[in-house]
């Protein structure tokens, strides 16, 4: 493919309170090994840090960078605003704390051409900058932490239900009328479901890697995973039959541990075997996950695992039916494939 044949690319970024990583994330985009034309559209939420100031600096420094307002601060609204403000036939989603590998866009464009997919994506390559973040990254890329999710742990290239972030053909996004703004979380899964429902192909490839910076504290990680669980239950109610054993494992663990503690305290100490067994399992599972890390990071992996599991399970169990009803009421019809 000659330089003239490379399709122009629009990179869209939903951003909120990203002063720590935004400049580096945009640098990884602008330095891509890609011969085609490129633009970056940053959708700015109501940040309370220096994010807007940094974005303005990036606009002044490079004519390829633009910004658009996202007053709601919600991710799907930001993505839709950036899509509307962008103009090229290939749309690349990147988060404000994601770092693209040097040939990410070139590889994604090639895969779109080779596979005929409507969306391609790869591995969420979590990497930390301190001991806690390294522990979280290890937990997020281990099967004991996230099960067999290919975009976390890797796997063979092939069709997928959903992918991390995504590189889309614009026509697929336009047929879908963008992201469903009711999905504060899980908006990627919902959009990819509608694309697949219309017969479109979603393609996973381990060739595509995005460095991801984990949440910087236990509290932030707990909120993230509670929201994941809460919205995964909304997805299950929205699309019956989409749930599987991997998604049921955390809420089952929460119930079993809670029951073990209550029965152990009130009836028999033998019931404490359940929470003790869970602790033993995550400690044992953290050993291979922490290979090559510092002692301080390895010691925190069980904490990260427990935070992820318990928060996800709690969010799933406490997800209100009223939230699902609101989302279901906004359900969009299946995307109709255009025919000649």
């Amino acid at each position: 493919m000659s330089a003239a044949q490379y399709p122009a690319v629009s990179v869209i970024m939903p951003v909120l309170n990203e002063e720590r990583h935004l400049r580096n994330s945009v640098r990884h985009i602008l330095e891509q090994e890609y011969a085609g034309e490129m633009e970056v559209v940053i959708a700015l939420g109501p940040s309370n840090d220096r994010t807007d100031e940094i974005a303005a600096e990036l606009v002044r420094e490079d004519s390829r960078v633009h910004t658009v307002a996202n007053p709601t601060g919600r991710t799907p609204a930001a993505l839709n605003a950036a899509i509307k403000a962008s103009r090229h036939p290939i749309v690349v989603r990147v988060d404000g704390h994601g770092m693209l590998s040097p040939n990410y866009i070139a590889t994604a464009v090639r895969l779109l051409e080779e596979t005929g997919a409507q969306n391609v994506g790869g591995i969420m390559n979590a990497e930390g900058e301190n001991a806690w973040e390294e522990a979280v990254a290890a937990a997020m890329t281990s099967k004991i932490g996230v099960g067999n999710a290919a975009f976390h742990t890797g796997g063979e290239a092939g069709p997928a239900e959903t992918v991390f972030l995504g590189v889309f053909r614009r026509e697929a996004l336009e047929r879908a009328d963008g992201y469903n703004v009711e999905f504060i979380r899980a908006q990627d899964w919902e959009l990819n479901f509608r694309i697949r429902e219309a017969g479109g192909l979603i393609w996973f490839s381990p060739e595509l890697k995005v460095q991801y910076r984990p949440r910087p504290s236990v509290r932030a990680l707990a909120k993230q995973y509670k929201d994941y669980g809460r919205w995964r239950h909304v997805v299950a109610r929205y699309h019956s039959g989409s749930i599987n054993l991997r998604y049921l494992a955390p809420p089952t663990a929460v119930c079993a541990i809670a029951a073990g503690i209550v029965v152990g305290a009130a009836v028999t100490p033998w019931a404490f075997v359940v929470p003790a067994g869970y602790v033993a399992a995550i400690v044992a599972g953290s050993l291979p996950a922490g290979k090559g890390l510092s002692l301080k990071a390895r010691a925190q992996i069980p904490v990260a695992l427990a935070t992820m599991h318990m928060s996800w399970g709690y969010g799933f169990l406490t997800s209100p039916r009223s939230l699902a009803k609101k989302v279901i009421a906004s359900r969009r019809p299946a995307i109709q494939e255009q025919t000649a």
Side-chain angles (χ1 to χ4, degrees):
M1 185 182 292
S2 67
Q5 293 174 312
Y6 279 89
V9 168
S10 296
V11 181
I12 59 173
M13 302 182 69
V15 168
L16 180 69
N17 294 327
E18 289 288 359
E19 68 173 1
R20 182 180 173 192
H21 299 300
L22 180 57
R23 176 171 287 280
N24 197 24
S25 181
V26 172
R27 179 178 64 80
H28 278 76
I29 296 167
L30 298 177
E31 294 179 357
Q32 283 288 295
E33 297 171 0
Y34 186 68
E37 184 181 351
M38 185 191 310
E39 66 174 352
V40 180
V41 181
I42 305 172
L44 294 171
S47 297
N48 54 23
D49 62 8
R50 295 184 59 253
T51 296
D52 287 10
E53 181 181 337
I54 294 168
E57 292 172 357
L58 292 167
V59 170
R60 289 194 297 269
E61 293 165 6
D62 197 304
S63 61
R64 293 173 293 177
V65 181
H66 314 281
T67 60
V68 63
N70 173 36
T72 71
R74 294 182 171 184
T75 299
L79 291 165
N80 285 344
I83 292 167
K84 184 177 180 180
S86 66
R87 55 196 174 90
H88 294 320
I90 304 297
V91 179
V92 180
R93 176 185 171 176
V94 181
D95 286 341
H97 47 273
M99 315 294 163
L100 300 184
S101 53
N103 62 348
Y104 181 90
I105 292 178
T107 301
V109 169
R110 172 177 59 80
L111 289 171
L112 285 172
E113 180 67 24
E114 291 177 354
T115 65
Q118 300 299 301
N119 180 22
V120 299
I123 294 175
M124 179 181 176
N125 189 29
E127 294 184 0
E129 296 181 327
N130 54 47
W132 165 251
E133 291 181 0
E134 288 174 352
V136 176
M140 292 180 72
T141 53
S142 68
K143 289 189 176 182
I144 192 173
V146 294
N148 61 350
F151 68 82
H152 281 293
T153 61
E156 295 184 2
E161 284 190 353
T162 190
V163 290
F164 180 56
L165 302 180
V167 178
F168 298 84
R169 299 179 188 271
R170 177 175 291 275
E171 62 261 28
L173 293 172
E174 291 176 346
R175 282 200 299 270
D177 194 24
Y179 290 82
N180 186 333
V181 296
E182 296 297 338
F183 276 83
I184 308 306
R185 298 280 187 180
Q187 66 274 157
D188 299 295
W189 189 96
E190 191 277 334
L191 173 60
N192 285 315
F193 165 70
R194 286 188 285 123
I195 292 174
R196 289 187 293 107
E197 193 177 38
L201 175 64
I202 311 299
W203 188 264
F204 165 81
S205 174
E207 292 182 78
L208 297 172
K209 293 184 179 181
V210 181
Q211 289 181 5
Y212 171 86
R213 296 290 184 254
R215 295 299 192 269
S217 67
V218 173
R219 183 176 180 179
L221 182 68
K223 183 182 184 304
Q224 177 187 22
Y225 272 77
K226 185 191 75 171
D227 288 346
Y228 283 169
R230 175 187 176 100
W231 282 93
R232 193 60 187 82
H233 204 164
V234 173
V235 168
R237 288 167 171 158
Y238 174 86
H239 179 55
S240 60
S242 69
I243 205 69
N244 59 40
L245 292 178
R246 177 164 66 89
Y247 297 124
L248 293 176
T252 300
V254 169
C255 291
I257 291 169
I261 293 173
V262 171
V263 174
V267 181
T268 172
W270 284 104
F272 286 120
V273 168
V274 176
Y278 171 76
V279 171
I282 61 173
V283 169
S286 70
L287 296 178
K291 186 177 181 180
L293 297 182
S294 68
L295 180 60
K296 185 177 181 180
R298 293 201 302 270
Q300 295 183 83
I301 295 175
V303 178
L305 288 169
T307 301
M308 291 162 57
H309 294 162
M310 296 299 102
S311 300
W312 203 103
Y314 176 79
F316 188 94
L317 291 168
T318 59
S319 181
R321 285 189 174 273
S322 58
L323 182 60
K325 288 179 180 178
K326 181 181 179 183
V327 169
I328 291 169
S330 73
R331 187 171 194 149
R332 302 180 182 192
I335 306 162
Q336 299 300 314
E337 289 284 6
Q338 295 178 347
T339 56

